Amino acid sequence: MTTTHNHPGKRGKDKKRAILDVATQVFREMGFHNASMNIIATRLGGSKTTLYNHFRSKDAIFWEVARNAAILQNQRVSTFIDDESLLLTSDNRHRVHELVRELAQPAENIRLALTRFGEKFITFIHTDEVLAIRHALLTSENPGPRKDYFELGPKRVVSRVAAFLEEAMTNGQLKQGDPRVAACHLRGLLDSEHYKYYLLAESPSESFIRDSVKSAVDVFLLAYGANNAVPCVSGK
């Protein structure tokens, strides 16, 4: 799907990135319906003509913002790190590298590996960029961006986690089962105590994230852990 006009060169890429940065803030604050090309142009300090030189419509801008956020979450994100066309802050580049690293190496201690991944993943989900996209997606009547976001982000995350869990099953660290289903269960457990924060676009404390991830991993290993991986669940 093509959403932008061609603007080769560093200047065009920098302008596009600036537009997407401002648009992300506007969508987060106002939602998709209340946001407009006029508001984005005003925040940018330019004219609507500048926006239309890079994007054909508000829908096109929103799709690109959603696409970039989704790419940040997917299991192939490392291949996009050096693509200058994407809106990646240095902070999010670091988070992405950390997430990829956790799932790209064998885990001698499956509990520790899942806990580290869970804490980094949930922390990433609570970043302003991701919360902004979720809010804007929920307020948009256009299903296109939601579908693209799912395909590029959550669906690929589950596939990457499933591959990691399948290797752990092969190594005897987890019980044999359907790795895709197990990945969905793990994702659901990690999310389970955070829906309030997702809906309110709020961020929990670091201690809450640690405790919630510990509980999620405890429950996951009770179901999937091999004999030497089953934890003793303790209360918070």
Side-chain angles (χ1 to χ4, degrees), residues 63-118:
W63 183 91
E64 189 76 6
V65 170
R67 173 182 175 274
N68 289 344
I71 288 173
L72 283 174
Q73 296 182 59
N74 77 58
Q75 89 286 3
R76 296 177 184 172
V77 72
S78 59
T79 64
F80 294 93
I81 291 298
D82 296 322
D83 188 340
E84 294 183 1
S85 69
L86 300 182
L87 183 64
L88 293 173
T89 65
S90 60
D91 190 38
N92 274 337
R93 286 175 187 265
H94 175 72
R95 286 193 175 101
V96 167
H97 279 301
E98 289 296 310
L99 280 172
V100 171
R101 186 180 299 124
E102 291 298 337
L103 294 181
Q105 54 191 358
E108 294 183 4
N109 185 324
I110 190 67
R111 162 184 277 280
L112 183 60
L114 292 176
T115 299
R116 286 177 175 172
F117 169 76

Side-chain angles (χ1 to χ4, degrees), residues 6-56:
N6 292 323
H7 277 267
K10 185 176 184 300
R11 184 177 179 181
K13 291 178 180 178
D14 287 346
K15 177 59 68 174
K16 175 184 175 183
R17 187 170 299 181
I19 293 171
L20 293 174
D21 195 11
V22 170
T24 298
Q25 296 295 326
V26 172
F27 287 135
R28 181 178 73 243
E29 295 171 11
M30 309 185 69
F32 179 82
H33 288 299
N34 294 326
S36 69
M37 296 292 268
N38 277 330
I39 294 174
I40 295 173
T42 299
R43 293 276 190 96
L44 186 66
S47 66
K48 284 198 298 182
T49 300
T50 300
L51 298 186
Y52 285 119
N53 283 338
H54 292 268
F55 297 91
R56 294 187 176 89

